[in-house]
Amino acid sequence: MSTSAQLSIEDRVSIMELLARYARCLDSGDLDGYVNTFAPDGVLFGNHVGHGQIREYVGQVIQRRSADPSRRMHFVGFPVIEGNAQHVTVHSYLLWLQLGAESPVSAAAEYVDECIKLNGRWVFKTRAITRLAGRD
């Protein structure tokens, strides 16, 4: 990874907003917003390549979630961001919160992302997840 252009505070804030926007779009059922967090050739979880495949997969996820009365929300922790002004690797942790539950944390995971700046905006190039605890 080139270190020719240092990562600015504005870039770091934009990348943190990207992580939050991803979770918010999924939790609110905003499929277009979700897909637009990825580069056109982005890869979600190693299996879904490009906007079309991501849209198809996540559309099914959103449908399943909307039919489930026990709604879960995403809580993403502070990320570690390493890279330069065009490409970064981001490590963050995720908790799924079960709304209305006495013990609300239902699962935990770790994200490892490759993000790129595309037309002045940060997007996911790849997003990988590793389940750490809990149920699907």
Side-chain angles (χ1 to χ4, degrees):
M1 199 178 306
S2 169
T3 58
S4 60
Q6 195 171 26
L7 195 60
S8 70
I9 297 298
E10 291 82 13
D11 283 327
R12 288 182 183 280
V13 169
S14 293
I15 293 162
M16 288 189 286
E17 287 178 350
L18 172 65
L19 301 179
R21 186 171 43 259
Y22 169 98
R24 176 70 180 141
C25 288
L26 184 57
D27 289 344
S28 69
D30 178 0
L31 183 56
D32 289 334
Y34 183 98
V35 170
N36 287 325
T37 64
F38 284 86
D41 61 348
V43 180
L44 175 63
F45 306 150
N47 299 320
H48 314 286
V49 180
H51 281 183
Q53 287 184 16
I54 292 170
R55 177 178 298 282
E56 182 179 339
Y57 169 70
V58 175
Q60 293 171 6
V61 170
I62 288 173
Q63 256 185 341
R64 267 194 324 269
R65 288 173 55 106
S66 67
D68 184 357
S70 60
R71 190 164 171 213
R72 288 194 301 174
M73 304 286 288
H74 292 77
F75 178 81
V76 181
F78 285 106
V80 174
I81 303 168
E82 300 173 314
N84 60 47
Q86 296 301 315
H87 179 267
V88 296
T89 300
V90 182
H91 295 265
S92 60
Y93 294 104
L94 163 68
L95 296 176
W96 281 284
L97 303 178
Q98 189 77 41
L99 298 184
E102 189 172 317
S103 298
V105 176
S106 64
E110 178 181 12
Y111 283 122
V112 177
D113 306 310
E114 298 294 325
C115 300
I116 58 171
K117 191 181 265 186
L118 190 62
N119 300 321
R121 150 179 112 79
W122 285 96
V123 292
F124 295 109
K125 180 70 174 167
T126 65
R127 180 147 243 225
I129 191 169
T130 303
R131 177 73 60 140
L132 302 173
R135 63 176 178 81
D136 286 335

